Amino acid sequence: MADVNGTDSRTGHWTVAGLPWDKLDPAKVNPDILKLIKAAALVEYNGDSYADYLCNVFADNAEFCQTARQWAVEEVQHGEALGAWAERVDPSWNFQAAVARFREGYKINIDVSQSVRGSRAGELVARCIVETGTSSYYTALADATEEPVLKQICRHIAADEFRHYKLFYDYLGEYLVKERLGKFGRLRVSLSRINETEDDELSFAYHAANNGDAPYHRETAFENYVRRAYSYYRPHHLDRMVAMVLKASGLKPQGWLHDFAARYAYKRMKKKAGEPLPA
Ligand SMILES: [Fe+2]
Ligand SMILES: [Fe+2]
């Protein structure tokens, strides 16, 4: 049951029905942001598959599995909210049809008993990196959009993603002790997961969300995606993102390494977005 603020009175969590839909203002929608939101809706909505994967990797930890299932409920809700928003702004777009196209072409291998990161601690580092990325991304989109309902959705999601980061980070402490993953191992997982951000999942989601049944051309979809997605980041978004990455990697979140990495990440993003570099 949603109260007047749109919060579920039992869980304390926001709901899709409780969003301020009466304030929706399609005239304020940036068409580039609309394309990104359609793609994001598909990736978020697939959260269930990742919970299946995590429950296989952490099969002996019932408490973690329960947490992962609840986490997936929230990720799926992110997809539902973004999908509902995009359908209202663009009634010609069908969320479930796009979900079907995405699932047809992109499959997560959930049939595993070991983490693809080599250890469960490594898996948790990778989860922290993903939540860092999504928290920063939705913050950047919330700051960029003028459309009030999307701003609210992105703020809710960014807060959830930050909480997810903390959740996986707390479990990481336990598994670092159990599995003795050192700093070098943590950093290796972080860097490899950051690199994968530019793998197929987001490019294909962008394609499935925006190009109907046209043939998939990875490079074009990737270019179309990053030119838009990276253009909304501002230096303070990168400052926060880099601090969270360093912390998950077992390094000091502030200091010269942070400043260097945040500047580097920002310049690289702006270059990929095709904007002039800052002076
Ligand atoms: Fe999410
Ligand atoms: Fe999340």
Side-chain angles (χ1 to χ4, degrees):
M1 252 316 178
D3 68 13
V4 282
N5 299 316
T7 306
D8 187 306
S9 51
R10 289 160 308 175
T11 62
H13 195 244
W14 61 279
T15 64
V16 177
L19 290 165
W21 293 111
D22 56 325
K23 300 210 169 59
L24 186 77
D25 187 352
K28 289 189 173 158
V29 175
N30 171 326
D32 289 322
I33 293 184
L34 174 60
K35 287 190 164 96
L36 293 174
I37 294 299
K38 288 174 178 174
L42 304 187
V43 178
E44 296 279 353
Y45 197 64
N46 244 7
D48 266 350
S49 306
Y50 283 102
D52 291 341
Y53 164 80
L54 286 174
C55 286
N56 283 342
V57 170
F58 291 86
D60 62 347
N61 188 336
E63 184 203 283
F64 180 85
C65 281
Q66 207 184 348
T67 303
R69 293 281 174 213
Q70 182 50 41
W71 160 82
V73 168
E74 295 185 9
E75 298 295 3
V76 171
Q77 187 184 317
H78 297 168
E80 287 166 346
L82 296 169
W85 178 86
E87 276 187 337
R88 287 178 193 229
V89 169
D90 175 5
S92 72
W93 191 69
N94 184 310
F95 177 43
Q96 287 302 333
V99 167
R101 285 195 298 272
F102 181 53
R103 288 185 175 168
E104 183 58 34
Y106 185 81
K107 302 217 187 295
I108 305 158
N109 184 15
I110 56 167
D111 206 12
V112 296
S113 56
Q114 274 208 331
S115 167
V116 293
R117 311 290 160 194
S119 66
R120 287 178 289 184
E123 182 60 47
L124 291 164
V125 171
R127 294 316 320 166
C128 286
I129 298 302
V130 173
E131 303 293 350
T132 302
T134 50
S135 177
S136 310
Y137 184 47
Y138 290 109
T139 304
L141 289 175
D143 290 350
T145 187
E146 302 281 319
E147 203 293 305
V149 181
L150 183 61
K151 203 179 253 306
Q152 181 64 69
I153 295 173
C154 289
R155 281 186 181 148
H156 277 318
I157 298 182
D160 284 350
E161 310 295 20
F162 186 64
R163 193 163 35 78
H164 294 164
Y165 172 89
K166 288 201 284 191
L167 186 141
F168 289 123
Y169 187 82
D170 285 347
Y171 276 102
L172 173 62
E174 188 186 314
Y175 278 92
L176 282 174
V177 176
K178 276 188 198 164
E179 298 181 334
R180 296 191 189 162
L181 181 67
K183 280 192 181 172
F184 181 73
R186 284 171 81 174
L187 188 60
R188 192 174 52 79
V189 172
S190 294
L191 293 174
S192 70
R193 187 58 192 84
I194 290 167
N195 271 334
E196 286 167 28
T197 309
E198 297 183 355
D199 275 4
D200 227 22
E201 186 176 26
L202 293 168
S203 305
F204 188 68
Y206 185 89
H207 169 79
N210 293 295
N211 296 341
D213 291 320
Y216 176 48
H217 187 261
R218 191 194 178 284
E219 283 73 25
T220 310
F222 176 70
E223 176 87 12
N224 277 319
Y225 171 73
V226 292
R227 282 189 83 86
R228 289 176 177 83
Y230 289 1
S231 69
Y232 298 108
Y233 286 90
R234 299 293 170 258
H236 65 279
H237 302 129
L238 272 297
D239 277 348
R240 192 155 159 275
M241 180 155 81
V242 168
M244 288 167 77
V245 165
L246 291 174
K247 193 175 165 196
S249 311
L251 297 163
K252 243 173 69 183
Q254 298 299 338
W256 70 268
L257 182 59
H258 166 273
D259 297 348
F260 171 80
R263 263 200 307 275
Y264 171 79
Y266 183 71
K267 280 188 181 171
R268 185 177 177 280
M269 270 190 167
K270 292 295 123 176
K271 197 172 167 200
K272 292 212 167 199
E275 286 179 10
L277 290 170

